[in-house]
Amino acid sequence: MYEDSWYNFVPDHTHKRNPSIQQPSGHRRRESLLQQPNGSKQPDAVEQLERLYEEPETTIDPPEPTLGRRAKSYSDFYHIVRAQLSKDAAVSKKRRKKARERNLDALMVETPGKADKDRGIEQLGSVESEIIEASQQEYLLYQDQLEMTERHLDTLISDANGALDLLTSLADSFRAVESQTSSFQAQCDDLLSEERRLQKLADEVGTDLHYYAYLDGVTRRLNAPGASRLVNHESFGEILTNLDACIAFMVKHPDYRDAESYLARYQSLLTKALHLLEVGFTGHLDRISSDISKQIVATQSESARHALAYGRFEEMVLEVDGLVANAQRVIRSCYDQLGNPIPGQNFDYYSNTALSIFSSYSDVRDRDLRPMTQHDLEVFRKDAKEINAETACRNFIKQCYERSYDEASLFAKIFSIEPQYNVDPQSAYAALKAHPKALVNAANIAPIATTLQSVLQISELQTICNLLGWITNEYLLLEYDEEETRYSIHCHDLTARLLIEHLWPFTDNAFEAEVTKSISKAPISPDSLKIAPVVNGVASSNAHPITKRALELLAMYDQAMPKERSSSPVVFRIVQETILAMQRAESRLKSNKAANPEPDPDLFMIKNLLILKNGLVSLEIGDVRSHPAAMQHFSQIWDALSPQNWLGLFRGILGGSLSLGLWSSAVGTSPPANGNTIPARNQIQPEQDANEKLDELLRQSIYAFTQRWGTLINAARSGKRGANSLVATEKELDEKLLTAFGGQPEVVAKLKEAIQINAQAQKEMKAEKGVR
């Protein structure tokens, strides 16, 4: 708090000896008992006291030194020295007094030594005072410092008390002022609140007045002679923004004065402003088109035409940046980046203008690129005739996809949106699709489908399936290691719409016509009813031609379509018409009343229906071949057809307690109440799907075949008159089964097992009837 000088400034109280005063000769100050010997300083030689002119017995010698205990502190040393000096002084005084008294008594006169004694007493007093002063020198220094500190502390206390008094007086003054100005402050607060209220009211009035006052200025600007030039500047965008704000204000406050009238006038001005923009943008496109179209017609180079149609056209359109920016602002007011509609108060005004701009743009692009599209069509037709239809279609699709991607990129740069597929009629995609042109773009893929169908209609069905399979694998399905690009995504979207909207319906119609021609109306010749031996172990090699054609159609359909369409009506109709054709063939075979017809009608149905069922199973698991080497799915089919207990089932059917309707894939289905009738084989319920119908007919054919041959086996075993021997019967059965299912030992074994089970069931039923 204070500088060191406050404490270091101590007056020098060091005692200075007066040179005029003679020091006592016999006494010197002893060394301090606290001083440590350092060996560097030797004590001064003790001077001999001057010889007193006294008698020897009266000489006052220094007191004998005594050994005192070491002082614990400086104050103890002081008391020890003082006590010793007092003691020595008392002894010396007594001696001198006795000697003086003796001398005086003897001489009865004053002796010369009396003066010396007085000087010794004075010297002794001075030495005592010096010793006391030297021993208390440090304490005196501390005393001075403490006294100085005390004076400063007293000063600080007095200053602090003065400051407190001053602050107290100030606080009293402030409280007095506050009490006096509280009412004034309340009045000021009221005035400020009123000022804020008035300011807010003035702002609201001024803002509302702006929506009314803006009408005259914008009306003059839009009706001026050079108003059409406004669309080329950024100020036109501000006009549209202000008109939107004014219309929104009038709609929000319909109870304001003349709000309805002002709303109608502002809407009329917005329509006029948008019309000016539409006219200006259309005129800008027409001027560019007149220049670009002439240059495209004048050149024959494909690269030069592409540069003019896209590079040069884009550069010329974007030159007038103010006009393009205003057109983009109008379009983005009603559509987002993907072309989805943005609901708003003025959506209808902006969307109508956007549709007009899109229509004008499509007309200009279609007119300018017509020489290029005509050239592409001529090349396509030439390749379809000279090379083949499939290759020509592939090249044409690639070229159209590239043209569509270029058009989409140019459209996005000019209008700042990228319309995506959308079923909403108010979307930008729907607006572009509503103006079909010959030029292909992201929303107009009809020219691709129309051109392809004109060639595919006269092509074979296999060509159509090959083309659809190539399109699906090339553009619709991406490899796991293939990276998606903007072009691949664009082609994926085009392919999906092209297939769903055009090529899949076209292919379904082609299959329907082929089914009608080769299956429904196919003639059944007697030679085709014979079962020839299996060729090269191919199970379908000896099937009926209609069954073979059905397998071919199923294989082609699976090649052309994804698995999601495997349950389409086309597949159902192929199976249904094939079943009906096989039933017609079976009826012709049953018209032969021979005991053992050739071929066996039931075996004929089992053979062809099993082949068809195996093809359907292959189609479902994605393993379809034109001619399967074997019925690789027979075990699956047989397990689905066979219940757990064949013997009990056959006995129930023979006894009349069960019907063939129970023998279905749903084993747990309860039998009908009057289940003693067997439904006719040609009775097909329309609500069943193709697999259920096929399974039902297979069960009926297998039962009829096993029942008839079971009867023949039992007759041969019993030796019934007119019946063949058991060996001949089994040999005939083996020949028929091997002929129909050569190279398929599993099928032959299952059918023989079913025949034995049926024969045993017949035998047991006959034994039960005999007991009764």
Side-chain angles (χ1 to χ4, degrees), residues 42-59:
Q42 296 296 331
D44 296 338
V46 180
E47 298 179 0
Q48 296 182 356
L49 297 176
E50 296 181 359
R51 186 175 181 85
L52 296 178
Y53 295 98
E54 296 179 355
E55 294 180 357
E57 61 273 6
T58 59
T59 301

Side-chain angles (χ1 to χ4, degrees), residues 237-375:
E238 297 178 359
I239 294 176
L240 295 178
T241 302
N242 293 332
L243 288 175
D244 288 341
C246 292
I247 292 174
F249 178 81
M250 297 303 169
V251 172
K252 185 178 179 180
H253 303 90
D255 53 343
Y256 280 18
R257 183 177 180 180
D258 297 333
E260 184 176 357
S261 174
Y262 275 85
L263 175 62
R265 296 178 66 180
Y266 278 130
Q267 290 176 344
S268 176
L269 291 174
L270 179 61
T271 304
K272 183 176 182 62
L274 294 176
H275 178 69
L276 291 176
L277 177 64
E278 177 185 344
V279 173
F281 193 82
T282 303
H284 179 55
L285 291 178
D286 290 337
R287 290 190 295 271
I288 296 174
S289 175
S290 61
D291 185 17
I292 293 294
S293 59
K294 295 178 182 179
Q295 298 183 37
I296 291 177
V297 173
T299 183
Q300 299 297 327
S301 174
E302 290 296 325
S303 59
R305 285 184 171 183
H306 185 276
L308 289 171
Y310 295 101
R312 180 56 181 165
F313 183 84
E314 175 187 351
E315 181 182 355
M316 295 180 68
V317 169
L318 298 180
E319 282 180 353
V320 187
D321 53 352
L323 177 62
V324 176
N326 292 327
Q328 291 177 357
R329 186 195 180 283
V330 170
I331 294 173
R332 291 304 297 270
S333 297
C334 53
Y335 300 115
D336 61 8
Q337 181 65 30
L338 300 180
N340 301 315
I342 302 176
Q345 183 68 36
N346 303 321
F347 175 79
D348 294 335
Y349 297 95
Y350 286 108
S351 62
N352 291 333
T353 303
L355 293 180
S356 300
I357 292 176
F358 290 160
S359 178
S360 301
Y361 177 80
S362 299
D363 293 339
V364 169
R365 294 299 296 169
D366 183 70
R367 183 172 62 250
D368 292 346
L369 272 68
R370 186 165 299 169
M372 301 174 65
T373 56
Q374 290 294 334
H375 175 74

Side-chain angles (χ1 to χ4, degrees), residues 44 71-72 98 241 248 352 360 389 402 471 490 502 599 609 671 687 692 695 699 708 713:
D44 296 338
K72 294 182 180 180
K98 289 179 181 181
T241 302
N352 291 333
S360 301
E402 293 176 358
I471 295 176
H490 181 80
H502 301 282
L609 293 181
E687 66 271 7
E692 291 179 354
D695 292 345
R699 296 184 192 101
R708 185 164 61 83
I713 292 295

